[in-house]
Amino acid sequence: MKQIKQSLRVDRVKETQFTGGNICVSSCGKFLFCIYGTSVNVIDVQTGCTKHLLESEEDEITCISLSPDDKHLITAHKNLLLKQWDNWNQFEESDSKKVTNKCTRTWKAIHTAPIYCMCFDSSSTLLATGSSDYTVKIWDIHAQYCTHNLKGAQGIIRSIVFYPDIQSKQQLITGAEDGKIRVYNLNNSQIEACLEGHFSTITSLEYMHGNKLISSSRDKVLIIWDILSFTKLKTVPVYESIESILVDSKIEENQNERYVITMGNDGLLKIWDTKKSKILYTQNETESLRIQKRTENELEQVISMGIYNKQTSTLFLVTSDQMIVFVRIDRDLIKKIVNKENLVDDQSEKIFSVYKQYIGDHGEILDLQYCSQKENLLAMATNSEFLKVYDVNTWDCRLLKGHTDLIICLAVYVEKNSNLSYLASSSKDNTIRLWRIDSETNTFECILVCRGHTQDVGALAFSRLGLNFLISGSIDTTIKSWKISKDKTDATFKMDTQFTIKAHEKDINSVCVSPNDRLVASGSSDKTAKIWDSVDGSCLGVLRGHKRGIWSVQFSPVDQLITTSSADGTIRLWSLGDFSCIKTFEGHNTSVLRVSFLNNGTQLISSASDGLVKLWNIKTNECVGTFDEHEDKVWALSGTKDESQFVSGGADGKLIVWKDVTNELYEEELEKREEILLKEQELNNYLKEKKWKKALGLAIHLDKPFRCYEIIQEILHSSCEDDLSVKETKGRKDLENTFLKLREDQIKSLLKYANDWNTNTKFCLIGQIVFELIMRNFPPEFLLEESNTEFAAKIIEQFLPYSERHFARLNKLSQQIMFIDFAWQNMKLDDKKLEKK
């Protein structure tokens, strides 16, 4: 029999890392800077983990900027403060996250409204801040003062760019929401020119070779300007709102400026020929980041910004739903396109290859399942139309498109001895989609779409013995059984409805299939769970007893038992023989949302809406572990086959990977016991050899006050003298010499022990002796700790009242002894009188 699981430890946490705004990338391409409310997360690009959290107590951050030399990170806050962080790269190389709340410098921005864009010059000395008060201010970061105050704009500043070689030409160009581009001469802080041509917000500005400037706007055109004559050279219609552009000189040094890459409302990367004003290449439509709109007034998902890192040839795209996409750009293939050379079929897909995606804020997690044989892929349903599949090792995320409304539930069937697995997803669009996942090639394909339910599909379960059927439950109160068949000729799948039954009076929240595929169980908000025949859908039994709706049902893997969890805060165990309740587990104070069997059916694991995860022992009916890491409802709970790892997700957006550490803690406990036994034996040896200093030091190290008491008592009575007073004097002298050999921290521990002994009349004598010897031989200053200045005051404050009480008790005892002695002396007969008689 396996050991009862009693402890889980947090192995990894995937939580919200990006809440919106702009991002920055270090010049080496290894670190990503993302705004997280009032803080900044420094993320390791390779692992996806937060290495450093720059925490601020100010208002929310509106934008951030990193200097080209990576030395200065500037954050702008809504309360018009600017913060400089030069310590962002001071963190350990371990997996742990460092939190820093002390910045290098803080100063007032002088602006009268929040800052929405910032830009460093090429020398990392000057910082330009553009605000919604229509002004731009330039700061000398090293000298720490404002150098320029640039006015004249008639709208919020949205883009800023310094002249590339700021030493040769003191020039700054800004773009605003009024659609105008203003060129400032930094020598006199005056506007040299106002370039008019756009009719909407200027979203991006880039210098080109030959004193040219290219600008993008939401008016769906690109304009190339001559900066010397301040005239419009060319207008390129791009037929979509553009948020960011990338000129070819940023990718590779090029004097011809032949193409530009646009990022905009279509969610696709496009290459445009700037000379002929025509499109050269468009990314495949299947890789578009745009989703379907659910309502007419809803904004489409777009690329909000793009940053290119030359060191890694990676374009970092940020979408409007806080997703960061890593796109590797192949410069050689782009050259071929520009030179009109023919490409091989598969080469066109490699021009822009998406190799990683991070979800900055995945919102509420509704369900999750391991979906590969190696259990390195984790499918997750959140409040999104996208089905998200994470690689749990790197936190890289793949988005599977298809559903048109929020995904609610997932179910997984993993083929044995194969790389293939099948994932079923259900949504508020009333459909079920079947996905085929190949973990070896890392490919995901939707192979079937099932329609039949009239309302949201909230529960799914595959057959256990093979990919034979799928059970679905819906808010329309019906259960459907879908037969899965595979065509042997073309390997296509087909799903047909075996039966449809009106199962409950209210929403169906959970369904599951028995290990032998003969039974199906369903749990509903009508407070009942029902058992069904998987072949014909006939009802075999009804489980009644819960006082509120049932959230989860699960069959035991070994016994004829089924467990249910309910909104009444209880978990019940039922017999499949007579459908009676065998046991009730109470411990959760709120709705129990998930429950599963563990450890060959001997344990349960549950999660609730109070954020708690609990482990239960079925035999003893006890909760053996409670784990509080979530801050809101825990909707999802899943585990690996060997039950060594669990993952939970909830309404707080946290994805927590738990590791079973029961065996580790048991081994640690055994090691501690063995170590204590060895130390005890060592202590006895010291006592036998009368090595008082080592014995006392070891007893203090083991934190055993009573053994210290015994050792001190042994030292006081260790002298061989017959005279009691001489023996006591020598014992005190030996104890005093022993104390002088101890360290200060050991002496302070003895003081604490003596303070406790002094509270008891049985041990107070030794306590008084210890206190007296320490006070006589050590200066009072050693009691004053830098970390705890109240140590001495507390010791003396606690010691004095009990000492006064002992003194009063001994005084009274002395008087009583004197009275007895007096009475005895008066009662004695004189010896001489006795002799005379």
Side-chain angles (χ1 to χ4, degrees):
M1 182 179 174
K2 289 185 179 180
Q3 186 179 0
I4 295 294
K5 298 181 187 297
Q6 294 182 334
S7 184
L8 301 177
R9 183 182 295 161
V10 175
D11 187 31
R12 281 164 293 161
V13 179
K14 172 66 176 174
E15 54 188 338
T16 301
Q17 294 177 306
F18 177 45
T19 54
N22 68 317
I23 64 168
C24 295
V25 182
S26 62
S27 57
C28 61
K30 293 182 179 179
F31 301 105
L32 197 64
F33 301 83
C34 298
I35 298 173
Y36 176 49
T38 61
S39 308
V40 176
N41 277 313
V42 182
I43 301 171
D44 189 323
V45 169
Q46 187 174 1
T47 63
C49 298
T50 300
K51 302 294 288 184
H52 203 167
L53 177 64
L54 307 176
E55 202 170 49
S56 172
E57 296 180 355
E58 308 297 338
D59 283 356
E60 287 187 6
I61 296 174
T62 54
C63 68
I64 58 177
S65 184
L66 182 68
S67 61
D69 60 5
D70 290 348
K71 289 183 179 180
H72 314 297
L73 177 71
I74 309 296
T75 59
H77 299 259
K78 270 189 176 179
N79 59 359
L80 308 182
L81 286 180
L82 289 168
K83 285 180 175 285
Q84 179 179 334
W85 307 82
D86 293 347
N87 55 349
W88 69 263
N89 54 358
Q90 296 174 8
F91 52 82
E92 303 293 332
E93 291 301 323
S94 61
D95 293 335
S96 59
K97 177 174 70 175
K98 181 181 178 182
V99 179
T100 299
N101 51 24
K102 189 174 182 181
C103 63
T104 308
R105 189 165 69 96
T106 303
W107 73 96
K108 290 184 179 179
I110 312 178
H111 288 287
T112 58
I115 297 168
Y116 285 106
C117 64
M118 293 191 292
C119 178
F120 270 97
D121 74 330
S122 56
S123 66
S124 301
T125 303
L126 299 178
L127 172 72
T129 58
S131 168
S132 51
D133 64 2
Y134 306 166
T135 66
V136 176
K137 290 179 172 54
I138 301 178
W139 309 83
D140 189 316
I141 295 298
H142 297 156
Q144 301 182 3
Y145 70 97
C146 180
T147 61
H148 300 77
N149 183 20
L150 308 178
K151 301 179 180 179
Q154 299 298 317
I156 298 173
I157 309 297
R158 287 296 180 183
S159 53
I160 304 173
V161 61
F162 279 98
Y163 189 78
D165 186 4
I166 195 67
Q167 302 297 332
S168 62
K169 192 172 185 179
Q170 299 284 312
Q171 189 179 76
L172 178 79
I173 300 181
T174 66
E177 285 191 354
D178 60 0
K180 296 178 182 179
I181 300 169
R182 290 170 178 83
V183 183
Y184 291 91
N185 185 342
L186 299 184
N187 292 319
N188 54 19
S189 299
Q190 297 299 315
I191 298 176
E192 279 190 307
C194 182
L195 310 179
E196 299 183 15
H198 288 290
F199 299 97
S200 186
T201 303
I202 309 297
T203 55
S204 184
L205 297 169
E206 290 287 349
Y207 274 98
M208 304 171 74
H209 286 295
N211 290 307
K212 295 178 184 177
L213 178 80
I214 185 169
S215 60
S216 67
S217 172
R218 291 175 185 158
D219 60 6
K220 303 183 180 182
V221 296
L222 302 177
I223 299 179
I224 300 174
W225 309 85
D226 188 323
I227 298 302
L228 294 178
S229 61
F230 304 116
T231 56
K232 186 193 301 182
L233 298 177
K234 187 173 293 185
T235 301
V236 182
V238 292
Y239 312 109
E240 65 167 330
S241 298
I242 301 298
E243 296 295 326
S244 189
I245 56 176
L246 176 64
V247 294
D248 56 358
S249 58
K250 290 287 185 71
I251 300 174
E252 191 173 7
E253 292 298 328
N254 188 345
Q255 301 297 326
N256 297 323
E257 300 290 350
R258 297 187 60 183
Y259 66 90
V260 63
I261 298 173
T262 60
M263 297 149 263
N265 207 38
D266 287 344
L268 296 169
L269 298 177
K270 299 178 182 179
I271 304 175
W272 293 84
D273 188 324
T274 54
K275 293 186 176 180
K276 297 182 180 179
S277 301
K278 68 175 185 179
I279 194 166
L280 298 175
Y281 174 79
T282 304
Q283 197 177 11
N284 195 318
E285 187 68 32
T286 58
E287 298 182 3
S288 173
L289 299 173
R290 182 160 49 94
I291 61 173
Q292 297 181 9
K293 294 191 293 183
R294 295 194 296 274
T295 62
E296 289 185 4
N297 297 327
E298 186 179 352
L299 291 173
E300 290 182 327
Q301 179 180 342
V302 295
I303 299 172
S304 59
M305 73 170 296
I307 296 179
Y308 182 73
N309 181 262
K310 196 171 183 179
Q311 189 77 18
T312 57
S313 299
T314 299
L315 180 62
F316 296 85
L317 301 177
V318 180
T319 67
S320 56
D321 68 338
Q322 294 87 47
M323 184 171 67
I324 303 171
V325 184
F326 299 61
V327 182
R328 186 167 283 116
I329 296 177
D330 194 314
R331 290 174 278 189
D332 296 330
L333 292 179
I334 292 180
K335 279 184 183 178
K336 289 184 178 181
I337 290 177
V338 174
N339 296 328
K340 297 183 179 179
E341 297 180 19
N342 294 327
L343 299 178
V344 183
D345 293 338
D346 60 341
Q347 282 187 330
S348 60
E349 298 177 359
K350 296 179 181 178
I351 296 173
F352 301 120
S353 54
V354 177
Y355 68 93
K356 194 174 287 187
Q357 294 179 105
Y358 284 160
I359 306 298
D361 184 5
H362 41 238
E364 191 168 354
I365 300 172
L366 304 177
D367 200 3
L368 43 81
Q369 297 285 341
Y370 284 101
C371 58
S372 65
Q373 187 71 34
K374 297 179 181 178
E375 295 177 329
N376 63 320
L377 298 179
L378 184 70
M380 191 165 70
T382 63
N383 49 352
S384 168
E385 299 86 349
F386 290 149
L387 177 58
K388 299 168 183 176
V389 181
Y390 275 103
D391 185 327
V392 294
N393 297 320
T394 62
W395 295 123
D396 177 26
C397 181
R398 288 288 300 271
L399 301 183
L400 307 184
K401 304 174 188 176
H403 286 289
T404 57
D405 210 331
L406 304 186
I407 298 172
I408 304 172
C409 185
L410 303 174
V412 171
Y413 176 79
V414 180
E415 286 191 354
K416 295 180 180 179
N417 304 320
S418 172
N419 296 316
L420 294 177
S421 56
Y422 297 90
L423 175 66
S425 60
S426 62
S427 166
K428 285 190 174 182
D429 60 10
N430 308 343
T431 66
I432 302 168
R433 286 182 176 264
L434 186 63
W435 309 81
R436 179 165 52 204
I437 300 173
D438 191 332
S439 58
E440 185 176 3
T441 59
N442 205 28
T443 55
F444 308 85
E445 179 187 4
C446 180
I447 55 176
L448 277 175
V449 180
C450 303
R451 294 178 174 86
H453 285 289
T454 57
Q455 286 183 286
D456 306 354
V457 184
L460 294 172
F462 273 110
S463 54
R464 307 282 286 274
L465 299 180
L467 194 65
N468 301 321
F469 61 88
L470 175 72
I471 302 295
S472 63
S474 171
I475 292 178
D476 62 14
T477 69
T478 64
I479 291 176
K480 287 181 179 287
S481 177
W482 307 82
K483 184 179 180 181
I484 304 173
S485 56
K486 184 177 181 181
D487 195 326
K488 295 181 180 179
T489 56
D490 56 0
T492 57
F493 284 83
K494 186 180 179 183
M495 288 178 69
D496 298 313
T497 306
Q498 282 184 306
F499 60 79
T500 302
I501 49 177
K502 187 180 186 307
H504 291 274
E505 298 299 321
K506 292 184 179 180
D507 303 356
I508 297 173
N509 299 320
S510 178
V511 294
C512 67
V513 180
S514 64
N516 60 4
D517 282 356
R518 292 183 180 178
L519 303 176
V520 173
S522 62
S524 168
S525 296
D526 64 5
K527 308 177 188 178
T528 65
K530 295 184 180 181
I531 312 298
W532 311 86
D533 190 303
S534 64
V535 178
D536 57 10
S538 58
C539 183
L540 303 178
V542 181
L543 310 179
R544 292 187 175 90
H546 282 294
K547 297 178 181 178
R548 291 189 179 181
I550 293 173
W551 279 108
S552 180
V553 291
Q554 193 74 33
F555 282 101
S556 169
V558 290
D559 299 317
Q560 291 188 3
L561 299 172
I562 188 171
T563 183
T564 58
S565 66
S566 168
D568 61 12
T570 65
I571 301 168
R572 289 177 181 261
L573 200 64
W574 310 80
S575 169
L576 291 175
D578 55 3
F579 305 112
S580 62
C581 179
I582 299 174
K583 287 188 176 183
T584 301
F585 301 88
E586 297 180 351
H588 287 290
N589 296 322
T590 54
S591 302
V592 186
L593 304 176
R594 281 286 189 275
V595 65
S596 296
F597 281 94
L598 287 181
N599 217 353
N600 288 331
T602 60
Q603 285 187 265
L604 295 171
I605 185 170
S606 62
S607 64
S609 57
D610 57 4
L612 297 180
V613 176
K614 287 180 178 285
L615 284 173
W616 305 84
N617 187 339
I618 293 177
K619 186 177 180 180
T620 60
N621 216 47
E622 293 178 346
C623 174
V624 295
T626 301
F627 313 99
D628 184 12
E629 291 293 335
H630 286 281
E631 299 167 3
D632 208 336
K633 300 181 184 70
V634 184
W635 288 111
L637 191 63
S638 182
T640 56
K641 289 180 181 177
D642 60 0
E643 298 178 351
S644 63
Q645 190 171 280
F646 301 90
V647 62
S648 61
D652 57 0
K654 279 186 180 180
L655 180 66
I656 300 179
V657 180
W658 305 85
K659 183 181 178 183
D660 178 20
V661 292
T662 304
N663 290 332
E664 293 179 17
L665 293 178
Y666 181 70
E667 289 173 3
E668 287 177 9
E669 187 65 29
L670 285 179
E671 288 177 2
K672 285 180 181 178
R673 288 180 185 176
E674 290 177 6
E675 187 180 353
I676 289 171
L677 287 174
L678 290 173
K679 295 287 186 184
E680 287 281 356
Q681 183 59 48
E682 189 178 354
L683 182 59
N684 292 331
N685 293 339
Y686 287 149
L687 289 173
K688 191 174 182 181
E689 297 169 6
K690 295 188 177 181
K691 295 180 178 179
W692 308 124
K693 183 242 176 188
K694 290 185 177 181
L696 195 56
L698 187 56
I700 293 170
H701 174 71
L702 294 173
D703 195 20
K704 291 184 176 294
F706 188 69
R707 289 307 300 268
C708 290
Y709 178 87
E710 290 178 333
I711 293 168
I712 292 170
Q713 203 172 30
E714 186 73 25
I715 295 171
L716 288 171
H717 299 101
S718 61
S719 177
C720 300
E721 299 291 338
D722 295 331
D723 190 344
L724 191 61
S725 61
V726 175
K727 186 176 183 179
E728 184 178 344
T729 304
K730 192 173 186 309
R732 279 176 173 260
K733 191 67 178 174
D734 291 342
L735 184 60
E736 187 176 358
N737 292 334
T738 304
F739 283 178
L740 291 171
K741 295 175 184 177
L742 295 176
R743 300 191 309 268
E744 282 193 5
D745 60 314
Q746 293 174 328
I747 293 296
K748 288 177 181 177
S749 297
L750 278 176
L751 265 179
K752 292 177 183 176
Y753 296 160
N755 194 27
D756 294 335
W757 298 334
N758 195 46
T759 60
N760 193 316
T761 55
K762 186 178 179 181
F763 307 114
C764 66
L765 178 60
I766 299 294
Q768 291 285 336
I769 292 171
V770 170
F771 197 84
E772 177 197 357
L773 291 176
I774 291 175
M775 290 294 106
R776 282 186 177 181
N777 291 280
F778 293 89
E781 291 78 17
F782 98 101
L783 289 174
L784 300 175
E785 295 180 353
E786 292 183 3
S787 59
N788 186 10
T789 55
E790 298 179 358
F791 174 77
K794 284 183 178 179
I795 289 290
I796 294 169
E797 185 182 349
Q798 294 171 8
F799 204 88
L800 282 175
Y802 284 101
S803 295
E804 290 172 357
R805 195 177 301 174
H806 294 318
F807 180 76
R809 179 175 56 82
L810 292 173
N811 221 5
K812 187 176 180 181
L813 188 62
S814 176
Q815 291 175 3
Q816 291 173 349
I817 291 171
M818 288 176 66
F819 176 77
I820 292 171
D821 186 56
F822 174 75
W824 166 247
Q825 292 296 335
N826 286 315
M827 290 169 62
K828 277 178 33 175
L829 294 173
D830 194 350
D831 295 339
K832 292 180 179 181
K833 290 180 179 181
L834 288 172
E835 288 176 0
K836 287 179 180 181
K837 288 181 180 180

